[in-house]
Amino acid sequence: MFRTALRNVLAHKARLLMTVLAVLLGVAFVSGTLVFTDTISTAYQKSSEKGFGDVDVAVRPHDKNDDTSPGDPPRLSQRLLDQISAVPGAGTVTGTVAGYTAVADKDGDLLGNGFSSTGGNYYPAKNGKDPRYDLGSGRAPHTAAEVALDSRTADRGDYRVGDTVRLSTDGPVRQKKIVGIFTTDDGNVAAGGTLTLFDNATAQKLFTEPGRYDQIDVKAAAGTSQATLKAGVDKLLPARSQAVTGKKLADDQAADIKAGMSGLQTGLLVFAGIALFVSIFIIANTFTMLVAQRTRELALMRAVGASRRQVTRSVLIEATVVGSVAAVTGLLAGIGLGASLRSLLGATGSTVPDGPLIVSSTTVLAALVVGVVVTVLAAWLPGRRAAKIPPIAAMSSVHAAPSGRGLVVRNTIGAILAGGGVALILAATGMSSGDAKAPMGLGAGALVIGVFVLTPLLSRPMIAASAPVLRVFGIAGKLARQNAVRNPRRTAATASALMIGLTLITGLTVIAGSVQKSIDEMAAGSLRSDYVVSLGAIGATGLSPDVEKTLKRTDGVTATSIQRTSPALVDGDTTALTGVDGDTIGQMISVDFSSGSLSEVTGTTIVVDDDTAQDNNWHAGSKVPVTFEDGARKQFTVAGVYEGNSLLNGILIDSAVLSAHMADVTDNKVMVKTEDGPNQATKDALQKALGDNPAINVQDKQDISNDIAKAITLLLNMLYGLLAMAVIVAVLGVINTLAMSVFERSREIGMLRAIGLDRKGIKRMVRLESLVISLFGAVLGLCLGTFFGWAAGELIAPSLPTYELVMPWGRLALFLALAAGVGMLAAVWPARRASKLNMLTAIKSE
């Protein structure tokens, strides 16, 4: 039986090629994902280990807040640094200061795209050098007017020693002279970020305060272990600070990198799983058709003594061979895919630390297991059916059709699954978003499987609906419709592969379009200011209060209003307070109040959003005790309750009161009203007043909407690209089904040719059959995707009051047209093959 299975594989190479390709694509996606994420993770890990090579013990503020002070722990003093320097076994001791620093290129554009744009201090040791940085050219900065740039940033900005560079740390533009260019093992720089070094005093003034550090790094003297050094340092630590070994720092960063990459890895593997799930339909379809074509052969094997188990085993051996070939080739393709993805990061401007391509044993094992297991599982049912072929079937070339009872059982199971899935989804829409995830996911899975089981039943009426259109194509159209419903199970499996991809694509499109529209409406309805000014880069801490002062002095500006936040203990719980100016905030943002108004935010009165009020059982007149980040305690009175939204929510307090207790006073945003309203001239004037700072965003309502639209479009395009794998696999399924169907109907095609149907008619018949099957799958996918999009929207609506379902009719029409194109493309080779059959040879075929 083993030799027979191998002979059958070799005898049907062309028929199994599409199956191999389908599994190969799924395996390549899985192995490519694992290779890519392992390579990136290892590169960052090695880079972080280099970065901590000169750190044996690091002292830093403890990040866990205590019960009495909600603010950040105090920074480390110069006195502590000097004490640590005297600890036995301490070698080099370095004080570290860091903060956000944006760097503009010579054209005024932001370098590094805002990714981890960092500034730090150059802290020279006794020999005058900072061990963290190797100055390749120039010298270290000595005054507030000087900086040093990392070599990657200097290359991207075409900067040299002696050039002047424009920087921004908190809004205002600063002109600095480049006096040095250095190299660093900092992983953030390797990933595309920027690093700017100031002299120690200037860095402290910008990011901490004079004489204060974010961290103190200690290098052990020769012969001193990290544990011994840490024990000595621990004795000197003030409250709310901690000492950790360099090994733990490296391990923690490696764990953070792994955790960060695991999200990306999981996301990519989900799409790989979808592609493999679609592949199952193709594999099952292929082996079902192969078994049907070999009915006489299998029955004869049974007649000469082969048992049912041996027949099943024969089919499964074929599947194992096919899966093994697909797994090995998929692994090789996946390695290439992983290398390509890494290169693609470099092409898009995002770089990663240097390192080898990682192909772990886990990746190899996963590829082999996935490829073989998926193929064998998909072939098991056809193999089981093959074993049930009675020996008497050897007298006929066609095995008995499925019984009516079998179809009734299938349709009953499908109806129960689909009905149960719909019921679970409808029930989930009435739950909170946290409770609804499990029933929504369960219901979606049950509904998709139920529809798949019911697809043979649905195919007849839905394909019959195409009859009026197909009549236009004459006898070819009529034959195409009849061929499409001749074997409902085969049609169902082929259409279902396309259905799954379009279900996901449609659902995502419906949700994205609805969210975009709701945010547009919220911005139009709630935002009254003409412009919103903010720092738009990643890692930015906030705008300097000088930014609002500058805007107030700008011609054409009639009013400004700021928003700033600070942590506090409110009624015993840590929360964020939002500081606003009660006199002007009402001109900038519109919110609905159940009691009170924004103008009542002053002195010792606050207003709160409805969710906060409900959670704490507050109402107008309630007394609220507040402990600020500096430890000061005050009692406030709730003067109003409003309906929160994404622009304004939480506890609103007078900004002047809040600022008095903030360690670093910065603004999240500044809202601006102008005489002439939003127009390009006014926007240019505001940007010019702020020094044409590339780190600062000056946005009107349309800009905010466009930014959100760009982010949503980018995310959608990424998801479309990932889901394209499933659609490609589905296309292979259509090609495979049609090619094998043409082979199966060789005699019939020969007869049609003999009675007058020309080659063009044969091609048209196959193409129309493919078109009908593809559109059938597309319609099912569009309907399911729309339903899932609506259901997901019901969960989003409570947190987004302006949410409403928006049907993207244009996109849906495009998806339908693309499905039709897929059908026509998939039919090219099978149609050509069918038209070239020799009629006499075809008529004589078995």
Side-chain angles (χ1 to χ4, degrees):
M1 295 303 294
F2 179 76
R3 289 197 300 271
T4 302
L6 290 180
R7 181 185 60 78
N8 285 326
V9 170
L10 296 174
H12 303 117
K13 292 187 291 289
R15 303 184 205 176
L16 293 171
L17 176 62
M18 295 299 173
T19 303
V20 170
L21 284 174
V23 182
L24 182 153
L25 287 173
V27 172
F29 208 154
V30 171
S31 53
T33 295
L34 295 174
V35 167
F36 173 67
T37 52
D38 286 348
T39 298
I40 300 300
S41 295
T42 303
Y44 276 119
Q45 186 174 339
K46 296 296 183 185
S47 177
S48 68
E49 288 173 358
K50 287 181 184 177
F52 293 120
D54 290 325
V55 180
D56 288 309
V57 173
V59 179
R60 56 190 181 186
H62 201 291
D63 19 16
K64 183 178 180 182
N65 295 328
D66 61 21
D67 296 331
T68 58
S69 179
D72 293 329
R75 294 185 173 100
L76 307 173
S77 66
Q78 181 69 45
R79 180 171 176 271
L80 176 63
L81 187 148
D82 294 337
Q83 290 176 331
I84 291 173
S85 299
V87 170
T92 304
V93 181
T94 304
T96 300
V97 175
Y100 172 76
T101 302
V103 182
D105 63 17
K106 291 182 178 179
D107 295 325
D109 296 324
L110 192 66
L111 282 170
N113 298 318
F115 177 80
S116 193
S117 299
T118 308
N121 65 323
Y122 189 90
Y123 191 92
K126 292 178 182 178
N127 61 2
K129 297 180 179 180
D130 190 325
R132 298 171 296 174
Y133 311 112
D134 181 15
L135 283 165
S137 60
R139 59 173 175 80
H142 295 153
T143 69
E146 299 173 344
V147 295
L149 288 182
D150 73 87
S151 57
R152 291 174 186 258
T153 300
D155 288 341
R156 290 199 299 267
D158 194 26
Y159 284 120
R160 301 289 183 269
V161 172
D163 290 346
T164 298
V165 62
R166 296 169 71 242
L167 308 171
S168 178
T169 58
D170 56 1
V173 173
R174 306 171 191 271
Q175 303 267 356
K176 305 288 183 180
K177 182 180 179 181
I178 301 173
V179 296
I181 294 175
F182 61 92
T183 57
T184 176
D185 291 323
D186 191 312
N188 291 321
V189 173
T194 63
L195 179 58
T196 308
L197 296 182
F198 302 86
D199 69 282
N200 192 56
T202 302
Q204 288 179 329
K205 184 179 178 181
L206 289 173
F207 306 127
T208 58
E209 55 187 290
R212 295 283 175 173
Y213 298 95
D214 292 314
Q215 184 170 300
I216 297 173
D217 297 333
V218 189
K219 176 71 174 175
T224 303
S225 69
Q226 290 187 352
T228 303
L229 180 61
K230 180 179 179 298
V233 171
D234 281 338
K235 298 174 183 177
L236 303 174
L237 295 182
R240 302 186 71 192
S241 62
Q242 64 177 353
V244 293
T245 63
K247 182 179 184 305
K248 187 175 188 311
L249 284 174
D251 291 344
D252 288 348
Q253 188 169 64
D256 290 342
I257 291 168
K258 186 175 181 180
M261 294 303 295
S262 69
L264 173 64
Q265 186 180 78
T266 301
L268 292 174
L269 288 176
V270 165
F271 290 98
I274 292 168
L276 286 168
F277 184 61
V278 173
S279 300
I280 288 173
F281 295 118
I282 299 173
I283 300 164
N285 221 10
T286 301
F287 277 93
T288 298
M289 295 170 72
L290 286 173
V291 167
Q293 291 171 13
R294 288 160 46 203
T295 299
R296 176 175 291 182
E297 174 189 331
L298 293 172
L300 284 171
M301 288 171 62
R302 290 290 316 282
V304 297
S307 66
R308 287 188 176 188
R309 183 175 296 178
Q310 285 178 311
V311 171
T312 303
R313 194 181 302 148
S314 172
V315 175
L316 294 182
I317 289 171
E318 290 182 47
T320 302
V321 173
V322 171
S324 300
V325 172
V328 172
T329 52
L331 173 62
L332 296 175
I335 294 170
L337 179 62
S340 300
L341 286 173
R342 178 173 173 171
S343 300
L344 184 62
L345 279 181
T348 57
S350 301
T351 56
V352 294
D354 295 331
L357 196 68
I358 304 299
V359 183
S360 67
S361 57
T362 302
T363 300
V364 175
L365 185 63
L368 295 175
V369 169
V370 166
V372 175
V373 170
V374 167
T375 308
V376 170
L377 285 178
W380 176 78
L381 190 58
R384 189 167 173 270
R385 286 179 187 155
K388 290 184 177 181
I389 298 174
I392 195 67
M395 303 301 297
S396 171
S397 62
V398 181
H399 184 40
S403 67
R405 180 176 174 276
L407 292 174
V408 169
V409 170
R410 175 176 179 139
N411 294 337
T412 302
I413 293 172
I416 292 171
L417 285 171
V422 171
L424 276 172
I425 291 171
L426 293 177
T429 57
M431 302 178 184
S432 65
S433 57
D435 296 335
K437 290 179 181 177
M440 181 73 79
L442 224 83
L447 179 55
V448 169
I449 294 171
V451 170
F452 166 66
V453 174
L454 286 174
T455 306
L457 179 66
L458 297 173
S459 64
R460 290 188 179 276
M462 292 184 71
I463 293 176
S466 66
V469 177
L470 292 176
R471 284 197 196 102
V472 175
F473 299 97
I475 189 64
K478 182 179 180 180
L479 289 170
R481 181 178 62 82
Q482 291 175 346
N483 289 335
V485 295
R486 176 183 295 184
N487 191 327
R489 289 185 175 181
R490 181 189 303 167
T491 298
T494 307
S496 294
L498 192 59
M499 175 192 79
I500 291 169
L502 281 176
T503 295
L504 295 169
I505 289 171
T506 303
L508 292 169
T509 304
V510 170
I511 294 168
S514 301
V515 169
Q516 173 64 41
K517 181 69 182 296
S518 67
I519 291 174
D520 286 347
E521 289 183 1
M522 182 180 292
S526 300
L527 188 62
R528 289 180 174 177
S529 68
D530 295 323
Y531 293 98
V532 177
V533 179
S534 62
L535 277 175
I538 298 171
T541 52
L543 292 166
S544 165
D546 292 339
V547 170
E548 189 201 13
K549 295 174 183 176
T550 301
L551 291 169
K552 276 184 175 178
R553 296 193 300 265
T554 304
D555 291 339
V557 173
T558 58
T560 63
S561 187
I562 54 95
Q563 282 187 40
R564 57 184 56 142
T565 58
S566 175
L569 284 174
V570 180
D571 213 7
D573 295 324
T574 302
T575 188
L577 301 178
T578 301
V580 298
D581 186 339
D583 294 333
T584 59
I585 188 66
Q587 301 176 46
M588 307 297 173
I589 295 178
S590 172
V591 290
D592 296 326
F593 275 80
S594 56
S595 63
S597 66
L598 285 170
S599 62
E600 296 184 64
V601 181
T602 178
T604 57
T605 58
I606 59 175
V607 299
V608 300
D609 68 345
D610 44 7
D611 289 338
T612 303
Q614 184 177 349
D615 291 343
N616 294 278
N617 197 25
W618 292 342
H619 52 78
S622 294
K623 302 297 181 181
V624 179
V626 173
T627 301
F628 293 98
E629 64 173 301
D630 63 353
R633 294 183 175 90
K634 284 189 179 181
Q635 183 166 275
F636 292 83
T637 303
V638 176
V641 178
Y642 66 96
E643 184 179 333
N645 56 45
S646 63
L647 298 175
L648 198 66
N649 55 65
I651 301 173
L652 306 185
I653 188 172
D654 183 28
S655 57
V657 174
L658 184 65
S659 301
H661 302 283
M662 292 176 65
D664 298 311
V665 179
T666 58
D667 298 326
N668 296 347
K669 63 182 71 170
V670 180
M671 288 165 285
V672 181
K673 271 281 190 183
T674 60
E675 289 177 356
D676 301 327
N679 60 70
Q680 192 59 46
T682 303
K683 185 176 181 178
D684 290 343
L686 295 177
Q687 289 175 327
K688 186 175 181 181
L690 296 171
D692 291 321
N693 191 333
I696 292 182
N697 287 338
V698 179
Q699 298 178 302
D700 59 20
K701 293 179 185 178
Q702 191 57 50
D703 293 329
I704 293 171
S705 177
N706 290 344
D707 268 5
I708 295 167
K710 283 179 184 176
I712 291 175
T713 300
L714 177 62
L715 178 62
L716 265 183
N717 288 340
M718 289 173 61
L719 294 175
Y720 287 164
L722 293 169
L723 288 171
M725 183 69 71
V727 175
I728 291 171
V729 173
V731 172
L732 292 174
V734 177
I735 296 172
N736 205 18
T737 299
L738 290 173
M740 299 188 76
S741 180
V742 165
F743 176 84
E744 198 174 68
R745 303 199 315 257
S746 295
R747 177 182 291 182
E748 176 186 320
I749 291 170
M751 291 295 295
L752 289 171
R753 289 289 316 284
I755 61 176
L757 191 62
D758 59 12
R759 291 181 185 269
K760 287 184 179 179
I762 295 293
K763 283 184 179 180
R764 190 179 301 120
M765 176 187 72
V766 176
R767 286 171 184 162
L768 289 174
E769 180 183 349
S770 176
L771 180 64
V772 167
I773 293 173
S774 297
L775 288 178
F776 170 50
V779 170
L780 288 178
L782 293 178
C783 292
L784 280 175
T786 301
F787 178 65
F788 290 149
W790 166 82
E794 291 297 299
L795 299 184
I796 296 171
S799 59
L800 204 57
T802 55
Y803 184 89
E804 60 177 297
L805 183 68
V806 175
M807 289 299 295
W809 296 111
R811 289 269 180 123
L812 297 185
L814 177 62
F815 295 157
L816 202 61
L818 288 174
V822 163
M824 297 302 288
L825 180 67
V828 170
W829 179 62
R832 186 167 176 270
R833 183 182 177 192
S835 67
K836 287 192 170 186
L837 285 176
N838 181 288
M839 69 178 74
L840 293 178
T841 304
I843 289 171
K844 292 189 295 181
S845 66
E846 291 292 333

